[in-house]
Amino acid sequence: MPDAPIAELPDYITLTRDEAATVLSGLDVVVEATDIDTEEAAKVRRAVRLVTTKLWPELGDLLDEDDGE
């Protein structure tokens, strides 16, 4: 039997533009500080792409093009 979750997350959250910028800036710092070829860096880049695509679909498409996807 799996352990009970520490906390239940809501199905949806809302971020202000400033809050979204804070999240993306923090992820940017992690990407810059991580070796680009590591699995950890790939996870962070996926997180950046997810948030960016949700907020700005056309910008998310550009990120996909940059990654060769």
Side-chain angles (χ1 to χ4, degrees):
M1 173 181 261
D3 293 337
I6 294 171
E8 280 203 36
L9 299 174
D11 289 334
Y12 296 95
I13 63 166
T14 302
L15 297 174
T16 65
R17 186 181 354 227
D18 288 342
E19 291 167 336
T22 299
V23 170
L24 289 170
S25 293
L27 290 171
D28 236 7
V29 169
V30 174
V31 168
E32 293 298 321
T34 307
D35 184 9
I36 198 72
D37 293 329
T38 65
E39 184 178 332
E40 291 82 11
K43 288 178 184 178
V44 176
R45 287 193 305 273
R46 283 193 299 273
V48 169
R49 188 177 305 112
L50 173 69
V51 172
T52 302
T53 300
K54 292 284 188 176
L55 296 172
W56 304 282
E58 64 281 356
L59 186 55
D61 292 342
L62 290 173
L63 288 174
D64 287 344
E65 288 174 12
D66 286 347
D67 287 344
E69 295 177 4

